[in-house]
Amino acid sequence: MKGGPEGATNAKSGPNHNERMERPMANKPLPTPEQLRQLLTYTPETGELFWKARPRSMFPSDWSHHVWNIRYAGMPAFYAKNNHGYLQGKVYEKIILAHRAIWAMEHGVWPVHHIDHVNGQTTDNRMSNLREATPSQNQWNKTNTLRDGRVIGVRWAPSRNKWEVRLRAHRKDVYTRYFDNYDEAVAARAMAARKFHGEYASRSLPIKPRP
C-alpha cells in the first residue's frame, strides 16, 4: 500500500487523494533540510523516498500515533505525479517537488536554481541523475521534438528552398545554417546543441543523418 501523508501534527493522518497537487503553495514556508531528513528516507541508488516512523510527540493522541505509523511508516512517499510529469508530495501543508526535496536532504540546503534531470526522465530521481541548472540550461535539456514530430529549431525556408537550422543560447542566435536534406539538418542541429549548450544539451536527436 502506498501512502502520502502530511507532516502536520494534527488528527489528519493521511492524504486526500482527490486533492489537486499540481501547483506548490507559495504562501507556506519550506521545511528545513533537517526536518525533511527527520520525516523521510532517501535511497540514492533508486531515487525513491519513504516515510520514516514518527515519534509520539508529533501526534495529539496515542491512537493517531499508532495508526499513522502502522499505515505509512516505511511506505513510498512523494509518488504523485503533477501535470509536468514531476513527482511531488506534501510536508507540513506544503506541496514540494521530490527532486528539490532530495537535493535539500542530500546537500543540506535548498537549491537556488532549477534541478535538471540529466537523462531527461522527470521521475528518475537518482542522485546521479540530478544537477543544478539555470532556467536556460534546464530548458536546453528538454525534448527537441514537438507532438507532431517536428524538431525544434529546424524548419523549411521557402525563400531559400532549403531546411533552416537555428539555435539559440543565452537569449541570442548562435547558429544558423541551411541544408538541402532534412536529416542532415536535424543532425546539424544536434551537433550545434552539443557545442553551444555543452553538458546540458539534450541527447534526444541523432548526431548523424539516417542512411
Side-chain angles (χ1 to χ4, degrees):
M1 180 183 73
K2 288 186 175 182
E6 299 179 351
T9 56
N10 56 31
K12 188 175 181 181
S13 60
N16 176 0
H17 292 288
N18 294 320
E19 186 173 22
R20 294 188 65 184
M21 298 183 66
E22 291 85 357
R23 186 175 299 174
M25 300 168 66
N27 61 333
K28 296 286 184 178
L30 288 168
T32 66
E34 182 57 33
Q35 287 175 319
L36 291 176
R37 294 190 193 110
Q38 292 171 356
L39 299 174
L40 297 159
T41 297
Y42 172 59
T43 307
E45 295 76 17
T46 65
E48 295 174 293
L49 288 166
F50 299 90
W51 295 112
K52 285 184 175 180
R54 297 185 181 179
R56 170 65 179 82
S57 59
M58 293 187 67
F59 298 88
S61 68
D62 291 338
W63 180 85
S64 59
H65 170 234
H66 174 74
V67 169
W68 193 97
N69 280 316
I70 288 294
R71 184 175 297 173
Y72 297 117
M75 302 307 296
F78 284 63
Y79 62 86
K81 187 182 292 187
N82 69 12
N83 285 345
H84 300 286
Y86 294 102
L87 301 180
Q88 62 184 24
K90 185 185 288 187
V91 172
Y92 298 130
E93 296 288 346
K94 178 76 175 181
I95 296 172
I96 303 171
L97 295 171
H99 55 280
R100 295 186 68 82
I102 288 167
W103 189 271
M105 291 171 65
E106 291 294 290
H107 293 273
V109 61
W110 284 97
V112 176
H113 298 296
H114 290 233
I115 297 299
D116 179 51
H117 291 77
V118 177
N119 64 9
Q121 297 181 24
T122 56
T123 59
D124 184 354
N125 288 324
R126 291 173 297 140
M127 199 63 233
S128 60
N129 194 45
L130 303 179
R131 60 186 175 187
E132 275 198 293
T134 65
S136 293
Q137 290 169 335
N138 190 49
Q139 190 63 37
W140 293 343
N141 196 27
K142 304 294 184 184
T143 179
N144 289 313
T145 55
L146 302 173
R147 290 184 179 180
D148 60 6
R150 289 181 297 157
V151 174
I152 297 172
V154 178
R155 72 178 187 92
W156 178 251
S159 61
R160 293 175 178 263
N161 201 34
K162 292 179 182 289
W163 290 99
E164 179 189 84
V165 177
R166 188 180 297 271
L167 188 75
R168 293 179 61 82
H170 310 295
R171 299 183 179 181
K172 63 181 181 180
D173 290 338
V174 294
Y175 180 90
T176 304
R177 297 288 188 279
Y178 296 90
F179 298 87
D180 295 320
N181 181 275
Y182 174 77
D183 289 338
E184 289 180 354
V186 171
R189 198 272 186 214
M191 289 294 291
R194 297 188 185 192
K195 177 181 178 179
F196 292 102
H197 295 169
E199 64 178 298
Y200 292 92
S202 173
R203 298 302 197 262
S204 63
L205 294 179
I207 60 173
K208 293 183 179 181
R210 291 178 295 182

